Amino acid sequence: MAGSEVQVPNPRKADLERLRGDLAKEVESLRKALKGPTEEIGGDRVWVGKNARAWHRELEGRHERLGERVDRLLPAVDAAIRGEPDKVSPSEARAYRNGT
């Protein structure tokens, strides 16, 4: 091992894995965040009329787009995790922790 630096666990990978775990717990609630308001406005119980229908259509579209975007979050984090090495040099780990 002459000339090679000792490797340490990659702190960026560890942070990404923690992010994934936290995100996995929230994905379903994020996906459904606009479901209740969309159903209430569209159900003629809370608000009725032309403006209510327009708001319902707007919320429905936002609800669908939100779900599509949330569905891309975990795969994006998974790809970032796969792109990180398990070990890095101590200087790389320090630089990451120091934000440089």
Side-chain angles (χ1 to χ4, degrees):
M1 273 183 88
S4 53
E5 200 171 4
V6 175
Q7 300 283 292
V8 298
N10 183 345
R12 178 176 164 77
K13 186 169 189 169
D15 283 350
L16 286 167
E17 289 168 341
R18 270 191 297 280
L19 171 65
R20 196 213 188 279
D22 292 345
L23 187 57
K25 295 174 192 172
E26 300 297 328
V27 162
E28 197 58 34
S29 63
L30 288 170
R31 187 180 290 118
K32 293 179 180 180
L34 294 176
K35 184 177 181 172
T38 301
E39 290 173 349
E40 288 174 7
I41 288 177
D44 292 334
R45 290 186 314 254
V46 175
W47 188 17
V48 296
K50 179 180 166 187
N51 288 335
R53 286 188 297 277
W55 271 86
H56 173 73
R57 282 190 302 275
E58 174 70 21
L59 268 177
E60 198 169 49
R62 287 176 185 249
H63 172 65
E64 288 174 21
R65 285 189 303 278
L66 177 64
E68 291 166 1
R69 289 181 178 149
V70 166
D71 288 342
R72 291 187 221 145
L73 291 173
L74 287 176
V77 174
D78 288 340
I81 291 169
R82 282 190 306 275
E84 289 293 325
D86 291 335
K87 303 266 186 177
V88 295
S89 69
S91 60
E92 289 173 305
R94 259 189 316 279
Y96 172 75
R97 286 189 199 107
N98 292 332
T100 56

